[in-house]
Amino acid sequence: MKPRIVFMGTPDFAVPSLEILIAAGYPVVGVITATDKMGGRGGKKLLESAVKKCAVKHGIPVLQPPKFKNPEFLEQLRALKADLQIVVAFRMLPVSVWDMPKGGTFNLHGSLLPKYRGAAPINWAVIRGEKETGCTTFFLKKEIDTGDILLQHRIPIGPDDTAGDVHDRMMLEGAELVLKTVQLIESGDYTLQEQDGTAATSAPKIHRETCEINWDQPTQVVHDFVRGLSPFPSAWTMMEDKQLKIIRGKREFKMHDYKPGTLVTDNKNYLKIACQDGYLKVERLQLAGKRRMDTEEFLRGMDFSHLAME
């Protein structure tokens, strides 16, 4: 008998993991996801999570508890009689939830644990210039991202990859790892690997102030920072009195006499910003109040003749 599975997740990232389990014939007896929210234009549209939409499409019961310690929810969860619970891109769970099934609860995490424990592992791996990251499945325990490892899968990071690029690859390759992990648990033939806490690094949640660019750094560091926050939430700087988000840029190693942070443009084809040992040549950007656009289109609608020119 295949294990009865309860799946927990919310965003697009989790959908391929749910889909692959369904396609493989595993009985997903329930899905736990975030509560619906009002949003869209004017905040008048009811927004359902990507995981909820997937579950409804497949006729899987959905639970959306506002609080996980609610006795009514715990009773509903217990009634599903899951053998195994799987968490992908979801919130922290209380012990009463993750310790419920006899087979335990495992999580798919977007790093090679113990590196990058925390809410934003993909972003921080790119920001810190890593050439490789990956994903890990591990059994939950009380301390976040510290449980014993089941499987890991390595994913290269290219020199110009954004966090979005890595996210999209990991979304699919992580789903394969989830399936392999379920099959491994089902076989009963596996050895858990304890995490080395001394090798742990942190990947905390990213806030707006975290995203401001410090131009007084080497060009490579600035480039890694920008791509690590792209496409969302996006690195930003100030252009005169407005916030300018930089979505994509290229490194240009070239010594200059400009103060770091100086904007340099020909007012037609290029916009670049001075770093310690070169420039970040901006390719895609968004000025506050405007839509995202490529640099040439942006320059056609603006007059920056007062800025520095080479």
Side-chain angles (χ1 to χ4, degrees):
M1 294 287 291
K2 290 183 178 294
R4 293 169 59 87
I5 293 171
V6 164
F7 186 89
M8 303 184 184
T10 295
D12 290 332
F13 184 87
V15 171
S17 293
L18 177 55
E19 291 275 15
I20 203 169
L21 292 169
I22 296 167
Y26 284 96
V28 180
V29 296
V31 161
I32 317 299
T33 191
T35 55
D36 300 339
K37 294 180 174 64
M38 300 304 292
R41 188 179 294 274
K44 296 179 181 179
K45 185 178 180 181
L46 188 66
L47 303 178
E48 299 176 328
S49 78
V51 165
K52 179 180 178 180
K53 291 176 182 177
C54 178
V56 170
K57 181 180 73 173
H58 290 284
I60 300 170
V62 177
L63 297 177
Q64 298 175 273
K67 294 183 179 179
F68 287 109
K69 293 182 180 180
N70 182 293
E72 183 181 354
F73 163 68
L74 291 174
E75 188 55 38
Q76 290 174 324
L77 184 60
R78 195 171 291 111
L80 294 173
K81 298 179 180 177
D83 300 306
L84 179 67
Q85 292 177 160
I86 300 171
V87 180
V88 181
F90 201 47
R91 54 185 287 187
M92 285 184 65
L93 301 173
V95 176
S96 56
V97 172
W98 60 255
D99 197 37
M100 187 178 292
K102 62 183 179 182
T105 300
F106 79 80
N107 180 47
L108 174 71
H109 183 76
S111 78
L112 296 172
L113 290 172
K115 293 189 74 172
Y116 300 110
R117 291 175 176 170
I122 297 174
N123 301 95
W124 285 108
V126 179
I127 288 170
R128 291 173 182 160
E130 299 281 3
K131 293 178 173 58
E132 181 184 66
T133 186
C135 43
T136 302
T137 52
F138 67 97
F139 278 121
L140 292 187
K141 61 189 293 188
K142 194 168 184 179
E143 296 79 15
I144 189 167
D145 296 339
T146 61
D148 292 342
I149 292 169
L150 286 149
L151 291 174
Q152 290 190 313
H153 173 71
R154 297 180 179 274
I155 297 173
I157 302 176
D160 295 309
D161 278 346
T162 65
D165 296 329
V166 178
H167 168 281
D168 291 351
R169 290 201 298 272
M170 191 181 292
M171 180 169 64
L172 301 177
E173 295 178 35
E176 296 280 353
L177 193 68
V178 165
L179 178 59
K180 288 179 182 176
T181 302
V182 174
Q183 292 168 339
L184 186 70
I185 293 171
E186 189 180 12
S187 76
D189 183 19
Y190 61 90
T191 302
L192 296 173
Q193 177 188 336
E194 186 177 354
Q195 291 191 43
D196 178 6
T198 64
T201 57
S202 178
K205 186 175 180 179
I206 290 172
H207 302 279
R208 180 184 179 277
E209 56 270 23
T210 313
C211 301
E212 184 175 9
I213 302 167
N214 174 11
W215 296 102
D216 194 14
Q217 297 182 102
T219 303
Q220 183 66 54
V221 173
V222 173
H223 176 64
D224 293 342
F225 186 77
V226 167
R227 64 195 183 94
L229 295 170
S230 176
F232 296 102
S234 303
W236 61 271
T237 190
M238 296 302 294
M239 175 177 274
E240 297 167 349
D241 61 343
K242 289 188 176 181
Q243 179 180 279
L244 179 72
K245 288 184 176 180
I246 300 177
I247 316 303
R248 188 175 64 244
K250 278 189 175 178
R251 298 159 293 174
E252 185 175 311
F253 297 105
K254 182 179 180 182
M255 295 310 297
H256 56 75
D257 296 323
Y258 293 116
K259 180 182 176 182
T262 300
L263 279 72
V264 182
T265 182
D266 65 354
N267 216 32
K268 184 179 179 182
N269 297 308
Y270 70 82
L271 174 68
K272 52 191 185 180
I273 305 177
C275 308
Q276 276 185 1
D277 58 352
Y279 303 94
L280 184 77
K281 189 173 182 180
V282 181
E283 295 189 318
R284 190 163 179 80
L285 70 171
Q286 182 179 20
L287 192 63
K290 304 284 186 180
R291 60 182 175 83
R292 295 187 174 198
M293 60 186 80
D294 293 336
T295 297
E296 289 186 15
E297 181 187 1
F298 174 74
L299 291 174
R300 283 199 298 271
M302 307 290 285
D303 179 13
F304 293 126
S305 55
H306 58 290
L307 297 180
M309 296 182 66
E310 287 185 308

